Amino acid sequence: GTPSLCCLARVMYNKMWHQTQEALGALLDKEPQKMVEPQRNQVFIFQTLATFYIKYVQIFRNLENVYDQIVHPQKRILIRKVLDGVMGRILELKNEMVELELTEFHYFDDILQDLKLAPQQLDIPIPKYFLKEKLEVIKGREKILAQILADSGIDTSEMKFPVKSMPFDQAVKLIQIAERARQGRLRALFMKQIYLQEYRAKQSKTLGKKVTDSWAAALCIQKVWRRFHQCKKTEKLREEEMIFLGMNPPPLFNEVSATVIQAEKVDRLRNEVQMKHEEDYREALVTIKNDLKLIEGLDIKENLQDQIRHWFIECRNLTGTFPDYPDIEEGGSAIIFSNKTIQQVIEDIIANQEEEEKNEKKKKKKKEKQPKKTKRQKKGTKEKNKEEDEKWKMSPSLFLPAMKEGCNAYKEIWMNKDESWNFSQDFDPELIKEEKRKELESEIRVQVDELMRQELKNLKLAVDREREHPAKVGKKKKKKGKKGKKKEKKTKKDKDLTADRTIESLYKELVEEGLLIQALKVNLSDYIGEYSYLGTTLRQVSIEPMPSLLDVRQLITLYGIWPLGSAAVHEKAPLVKSLLLAGPSGVGKKMLVHAICTETGANLFNLSSSNIAGKYPGKNGLQMMLHAVFKVARQLQPSVVWIEDTEKTFYKKVPNAEKTNEPKRLKRHLLQILKLLKPDDRILIVGTTRRPFDAELQPFCRVYQKIILVPRPDYASRYVLWKQIIERNGGVLTSALNVSCLAKVTDGFTQGHIVKVVKAVLTDQRIRRQIHKPLTAVEFITAITSMDPVYKEEEESFKNWYAKTPLGKKRALAITGGSTEKAKDKGKRKEKKEKKAKKKK
């Protein structure tokens, strides 16, 4: 049954976790050894970075699967910590590869062959906990949004399917036409039946005169039957052979099997167990802490007091004076006794005294003997520094310490832990006791510190007759006063224009104005495509390949979904505040924006020039709108701010037809908004454009940090697209439908074109007729002939435009012969010149 399957799955995923942790530990040991040494060979550097990147992706895939399936709450906390660390490290390595190769797209064909991995294993999944953990919040928000839309009379269903009104006379005529057509069809059928009856009568009369041979008739029937039977047999054998070779799918390939249904049941049951164990664990945290407070609280307090008193006496005996008690801001007595015994504390005091004396002696000697550097020595040091700069070095990671901590915790607690008693994988009370004992000790230590400070004052007064100097207190007070003034100044700068309003009222206003819209429920997996298998070989011949659709999908995951989904990753990972999706119409830019919102549960704000036209007029109105949008976006993060046709905001010259809409309203404010966004703010500005060449390049590239070219689909992607879109719309793929021919013929057509054609051909009537008349490629080709494809000239114009962007220029320079460092230097020089020119103006 399902419980036994659940138990087997637990054992399997525990084993997977242990194997993944071992692999991660080995990788963390290898990485510092290879990355510390400075290198010059660019190919070697990229290969090392790429191998680490691929290995981390494999570890992430396993860890994400394990985190989703394991039931033990304490194990899940540790796995989550490591998982966030691995995600951050992948983003850091990606950033290093971008800086090294000066391109957003990388190809690992040769490395995948060496590691014996398929390209599908490089696909980056989206962690399921992004939505699982805030499912209730998202559902509640969707209900509120639907309610506001219904109250304001903006119904999304009516917007999608508008019903046109028709005059009464026209409606009567339409019914009459339909009725006459029906009667005509019936009359035609009746006449056909009469004709067939007459024809049969004539045939019977002519055949009746001839003398038929029964043997000849039987032989004729046998020939026909045997031929039919053999044809069917050979067809079946051919189909079986194709299935065996893997050229055709098995007969029940598209049908949901019983094992899949059973697996889904097990998943649901496991999710319920996860939720129950989490609740039990949260309750246990409170109850166990309260029990410890009652049983061990007084003993902990007495031990701490005795420890601190002993420290007072030992310091008095060694130095002749009582020590200064550490302040609350510094951490109190916890700094002195952090995992140390009293003897160790005394040894530290003696060692500090000796070090201070030695440092004073050294300073005196250095002052006496300070040789002056000659010009030659200075030149030599400069040359050495230049050589060191030329060599590549890995930038320090912010995620490696967290991963190492996680690995050490795994080795200490879980690696060799006997869990035979915990078959149900519930929480471990002993581990909770250890954690809560430390928490309780820190809480009691604060109370003890207050008591011991007073006791130390009394001791000083009684023994040393020392009193506090009033001057010091005064100084401290003055400093505090200065800090308070600084804070006041900061608050004056950051004015809250809507301080008197609640977030709920602002949310409602933005929905009613159409600035906060409902995101379409589209998953990133619906963005169908295929891998680029010739990327590395083309680059070796110095030909820059066009990225595949799956390369674009991976970048959306790395730059958009991961940072928005995880707060821990967003805070420390290389910060991406803005993203530009540039490509011809119909390649799925809008779909990708909605997919980011769906996968992360983010709010979607639409600040397109066409959407904000006529709303919040004037400078004050614009400031108010932006303030309200970003205030709500911060409070209800993660959030996506979408600017459709963003080239209009940066027009070189505004067309006369669009001047009334003021498309360049946001141009000046976007850079200011980006500067105000902090690592804590999980807000992403996404722009989509189909005509980037109409925009001013410099301000355009300043606003958008990452520019992703979304290409038209190649042959492999078109083949997959045709198959999947036909099947999703109710079509059945047979040998009569040549999908390969369709993919070849439709070169230059986008995903949007393919979807339109499939929907036009596969009507309800055509779907019903598939049994008698299977689908053919001609039906789709005739429908697509009326559409205009994306020509090579348009694709080349996008390539040429991208070559003018900062990263594109650096890449072009590197390819033509200049090194990546020279390209970087040139880019920096140009930026400096631009800044100087601005200052002069």
Side-chain angles (χ1 to χ4, degrees):
T2 48
S4 59
L5 280 168
C6 277
C7 296
L8 282 166
R10 283 173 203 166
V11 173
M12 186 183 80
Y13 285 110
N14 270 313
K15 194 179 179 182
M16 192 194 282
W17 179 43
H18 290 303
Q19 287 170 353
T20 309
Q21 282 290 154
E22 283 172 18
L24 181 62
L27 195 62
L28 288 171
D29 292 337
K30 278 182 188 176
E31 193 176 342
Q33 294 169 8
K34 287 197 176 181
M35 294 297 186
V36 166
E37 296 174 5
Q39 294 288 338
R40 280 186 183 178
N41 189 352
Q42 197 171 336
V43 177
F44 176 77
I45 294 160
F46 177 73
Q47 282 186 341
T48 50
L49 284 170
T51 46
F52 280 121
Y53 175 81
I54 291 162
K55 283 177 181 177
Y56 273 118
V57 168
Q58 300 312 304
I59 287 163
F60 170 75
R61 283 166 70 91
N62 290 335
L63 274 177
E64 197 278 320
N65 206 356
V66 165
Y67 181 74
D68 186 52
Q69 301 296 333
I70 273 181
V71 178
H72 199 296
Q74 286 150 309
K75 284 181 185 177
R76 279 170 61 80
I77 291 163
L78 180 63
I79 293 163
R80 173 68 181 277
K81 187 182 177 182
V82 176
L83 187 67
D84 286 340
V86 172
M87 281 164 71
R89 189 67 191 134
I90 289 167
L91 289 171
E92 283 178 339
L93 288 168
K94 176 69 183 174
N95 190 50
E96 288 289 335
M97 287 191 289
V98 169
E99 286 181 2
L100 186 74
E101 281 212 313
L102 303 170
T103 178
E104 297 290 350
F105 300 98
H106 311 288
Y107 304 100
F108 314 110
D109 310 341
D110 50 347
I111 299 161
L112 286 170
Q113 282 178 0
D114 295 340
L115 296 169
K116 293 177 182 178
L117 294 169
Q120 288 77 13
Q121 287 173 286
L122 202 60
D123 192 24
I124 298 165
I126 297 156
K128 296 177 191 76
Y129 76 83
F130 283 0
L131 291 176
K132 262 189 186 179
E133 289 182 357
K134 50 187 177 185
L135 200 64
E136 289 177 10
V137 177
I138 293 162
K139 282 180 180 176
R141 203 187 295 155
E142 281 176 0
K143 279 182 184 176
I144 293 161
L145 188 60
Q147 188 65 45
I148 294 164
L149 289 168
D151 292 344
S152 57
I154 308 161
D155 194 4
T156 50
S157 58
E158 281 179 15
M159 284 164 73
K160 284 178 188 176
F161 308 106
V163 180
K164 290 179 182 178
S165 58
M166 191 185 287
F168 181 74
D169 297 339
Q170 198 179 342
V172 169
K173 279 180 184 178
L174 197 70
I175 292 161
Q176 282 176 348
I177 290 160
E179 181 57 29
R180 281 167 189 163
R182 189 185 68 81
Q183 286 176 8
R185 283 194 295 273
L186 285 170
R187 198 178 293 111
L189 275 168
F190 183 64
M191 293 303 290
K192 192 181 177 183
Q193 283 171 1
I194 291 164
Y195 169 75
L196 286 168
Q197 280 175 3
E198 287 174 359
Y199 180 75
R200 280 169 196 154
K202 282 177 185 178
Q203 286 286 325
S204 62
K205 280 176 185 179
T206 53
L207 288 168
K209 289 173 184 178
K210 292 178 182 178
V211 180
T212 54
D213 186 6
S214 59
W215 287 103
L219 191 69
C220 187
I221 291 161
Q222 279 180 358
K223 278 180 182 178
V224 172
W225 167 249
R226 280 174 182 171
R227 184 189 166 199
F228 173 76
H229 184 68
Q230 191 59 40
C231 283
K232 285 283 177 188
K233 197 177 178 181
T234 50
E235 272 181 24
K236 194 180 177 184
L237 285 166
R238 194 182 288 116
E239 202 172 320
E240 283 174 1
E241 186 185 3
M242 295 297 273
I243 289 162
F244 176 73
L245 292 169
M247 300 294 282
N248 282 348
L252 300 171
F253 182 74
N254 293 322
E255 289 183 18
V256 181
S257 62
T259 50
V260 172
I261 294 160
Q262 185 69 21
E264 285 175 359
K265 278 184 184 177
V266 170
D267 278 345
R268 281 197 294 272
L269 200 137
R270 195 183 293 114
N271 286 334
E272 286 171 14
V273 173
Q274 264 182 11
M275 294 290 285
K276 193 192 169 190
H277 283 195
E278 283 287 339
E279 284 174 13
D280 293 345
Y281 175 66
R282 285 196 203 100
E283 287 173 10
L285 287 171
V286 178
T287 52
I288 288 169
K289 190 179 178 180
N290 291 335
D291 293 342
L292 281 170
K293 205 170 189 177
L294 288 167
I295 298 160
E296 298 179 15
L298 288 167
D299 293 336
I300 291 165
K301 192 176 181 180
E302 285 173 9
N303 287 334
L304 288 171
Q305 284 177 332
D306 292 341
Q307 197 180 34
I308 293 161
R309 281 190 193 114
H310 193 62
W311 172 57
F312 290 164
I313 294 156
E314 289 295 330
C315 280
R316 168 79 178 167
N317 293 336
L318 287 165
T319 58
T321 56
F322 284 112
D324 292 326
Y325 209 95
D327 294 330
I328 300 163
E329 293 166 0
E330 291 172 359
S333 60
I335 297 168
I336 301 152
F337 298 101
S338 56
N339 301 321
K340 289 181 182 179
T341 58
I342 296 160
Q343 288 179 349
Q344 286 173 337
V345 170
I346 293 156
E347 285 170 10
D348 287 345
I349 293 160
I350 295 160
N352 287 331
Q353 283 180 344
E354 288 174 359
E355 277 179 14
E356 281 174 8
E357 286 172 7
K358 284 178 183 177
N359 288 331
E360 283 175 7
K361 285 177 182 178
K362 282 179 182 178
K363 281 177 184 177
K364 284 176 184 177
K365 285 179 181 179
K366 279 180 182 178
K367 283 177 182 178
E368 288 169 7
K369 296 177 181 180
Q370 273 189 350
K372 291 181 180 179
K373 284 185 179 180
T374 59
K375 289 181 180 179
R376 286 180 184 178
Q377 284 176 339
K378 284 178 182 178
K379 282 180 182 178
T381 51
K382 281 180 182 178
E383 284 172 9
K384 281 180 183 178
N385 291 330
K386 279 183 182 178
E387 283 176 9
E388 283 175 9
D389 289 338
E390 281 175 10
K391 289 179 181 179
W392 179 87
K393 255 192 178 185
M394 184 74 173
S395 54
S397 171
L398 298 170
F399 292 94
L400 281 173
M403 283 193 285
K404 283 174 182 174
E405 275 178 33
C407 284
N408 292 333
Y410 162 76
K411 284 172 186 174
E412 287 171 15
I413 302 163
W414 301 106
M415 194 174 177
N416 300 313
K417 194 173 178 66
D418 181 27
E419 288 189 280
S420 54
W421 60 273
N422 192 6
F423 187 71
S424 63
Q425 289 291 289
D426 209 340
F427 65 88
D428 191 341
E430 291 302 317
L431 288 173
I432 295 171
K433 279 179 184 177
E434 283 178 26
E435 284 176 21
K436 292 298 161 188
R437 215 173 258 124
K438 287 175 184 175
E439 274 184 33
L440 192 66
E441 190 178 321
S442 61
E443 285 175 13
I444 291 166
R445 191 179 284 278
V446 174
Q447 297 170 9
V448 169
D449 282 350
E450 286 178 12
L451 293 168
M452 296 314 289
R453 273 194 195 91
Q454 193 62 44
E455 196 172 313
L456 183 63
K457 279 180 187 177
N458 295 335
L459 280 167
K460 281 180 178 180
L461 287 165
V463 181
D464 295 343
R465 298 183 183 279
E466 286 180 8
R467 292 190 180 186
E468 291 180 339
H469 298 286
K472 286 181 182 178
V473 179
K475 281 178 187 177
K476 283 181 183 178
K477 282 179 182 177
K478 281 177 187 177
K479 282 178 185 177
K480 283 179 184 178
K482 283 177 186 177
K483 283 180 183 177
K485 282 176 186 176
K486 281 180 185 177
K487 284 179 183 177
E488 279 173 17
K489 283 178 185 177
K490 282 182 183 177
T491 49
K492 281 178 184 177
K493 282 179 186 177
D494 303 331
K495 284 182 181 178
D496 190 357
L497 300 172
T498 55
D500 57 334
R501 292 185 62 181
T502 59
I503 292 293
E504 287 78 15
S505 67
L506 288 170
Y507 185 88
K508 191 180 178 182
E509 186 186 316
L510 291 171
V511 172
E512 286 170 353
E513 289 290 337
L515 298 175
L516 202 158
I517 59 170
Q518 197 164 19
L520 300 171
K521 288 192 176 179
V522 182
N523 293 317
L524 196 67
S525 56
D526 296 333
Y527 191 75
I528 307 157
E530 192 49 90
Y531 294 91
S532 178
Y533 295 98
L534 296 169
T536 309
T537 49
L538 286 168
R539 276 197 177 165
Q540 283 170 356
V541 194
S542 69
I543 297 166
E544 191 61 28
M546 276 302 279
S548 69
L549 298 182
L550 283 189
D551 293 332
V552 172
R553 198 168 86 179
Q554 279 197 358
L555 286 183
I556 294 296
T557 307
L558 291 170
Y559 293 150
I561 294 168
W562 275 13
L564 285 178
S566 173
V569 172
H570 194 274
E571 280 176 24
K572 294 179 183 177
L575 193 61
V576 178
K577 296 178 183 179
S578 55
L579 196 68
L580 177 69
L581 304 175
S585 57
V587 290
K589 301 183 292 294
K590 197 186 289 184
M591 181 188 175
L592 288 169
V593 174
H594 287 282
I596 292 168
C597 297
T598 306
E599 297 289 1
T600 57
N603 297 293
L604 183 59
F605 297 88
N606 187 356
L607 292 185
S608 308
S609 57
S610 57
N611 193 42
I612 63 169
K615 294 170 185 176
Y616 296 93
K619 284 184 180 179
N620 294 332
L622 185 62
Q623 281 182 343
M624 187 70 180
M625 180 187 76
L626 291 170
H627 173 77
V629 165
F630 282 92
K631 188 178 180 179
V632 174
R634 278 192 184 91
Q635 287 290 324
L636 306 174
Q637 56 184 302
S639 299
V640 172
V641 178
W642 174 37
I643 306 170
E644 193 182 6
D645 296 329
T646 188
E647 78 279 356
K648 291 180 181 179
T649 312
F650 300 91
Y651 263 144
K652 291 173 186 174
K653 190 181 179 183
V654 181
N656 293 327
E658 292 182 35
K659 277 182 179 177
T660 51
N661 293 338
E662 293 181 76
K664 294 175 82 172
R665 281 178 82 193
L666 288 175
K667 187 183 173 181
R668 289 180 185 177
H669 298 274
L670 281 173
L671 264 173
Q672 293 171 5
I673 289 160
L674 283 169
K675 285 174 185 175
L676 291 169
L677 290 177
K678 296 170 187 175
D680 300 339
D681 303 326
R682 280 186 292 154
I683 300 167
L684 183 70
I685 296 169
V686 184
T688 56
T689 175
R690 54 188 170 180
R691 293 191 61 80
F693 13 85
D694 291 348
E696 289 178 56
L697 192 65
Q698 285 181 359
F700 203 43
C701 294
R702 276 194 215 116
V703 168
Y704 293 105
Q705 284 176 285
K706 297 286 178 183
I707 298 168
I708 300 169
L709 269 185
V710 186
R712 59 181 189 170
D714 54 0
Y715 168 75
S717 295
R718 287 196 304 277
Y719 184 81
V720 177
L721 276 162
W722 276 112
K723 280 179 79 174
Q724 293 205 22
I725 292 166
I726 288 166
E727 283 177 345
R728 285 182 186 185
N729 285 278
V732 179
L733 297 172
T734 58
S735 55
L737 178 62
N738 193 344
V739 182
S740 179
C741 172
L742 266 177
K744 283 271 185 187
V745 171
T746 54
D747 184 18
F749 290 95
T750 62
Q751 300 95 307
H753 291 131
I754 293 166
V755 170
K756 279 178 188 174
V757 167
V758 170
K759 283 183 177 176
V761 172
L762 290 174
T763 56
D764 294 336
Q765 191 181 356
R766 186 68 189 88
I767 290 163
R768 285 195 295 272
R769 285 173 60 205
Q770 281 183 106
I771 303 159
H772 308 293
K773 190 184 175 184
L775 291 167
T776 57
V778 180
E779 294 176 69
F780 296 102
I781 290 163
T782 49
I784 211 165
T785 48
S786 60
M787 296 177 183
D788 292 323
V790 176
Y791 295 104
K792 279 190 177 179
E793 290 80 10
E794 192 177 344
E795 194 174 38
E796 284 298 318
S797 64
F798 275 98
K799 272 188 176 181
N800 295 334
W801 172 82
Y802 186 75
K804 291 173 187 174
T805 61
L807 196 68
K809 279 180 183 176
K810 288 174 187 177
R811 176 72 186 163
L813 233 165
I815 289 165
T816 50
S819 65
T820 53
E821 283 161 15
K822 283 179 186 176
K824 285 175 188 175
D825 291 338
K826 279 202 173 184
K828 284 177 183 176
R829 281 172 197 167
K830 279 186 180 180
E831 282 174 13
K832 283 178 182 177
K833 281 179 183 177
E834 284 168 12
K835 283 178 183 177
K836 282 179 183 178
K838 275 189 177 180
K839 282 178 183 177
K840 283 176 184 177
K841 282 176 184 178

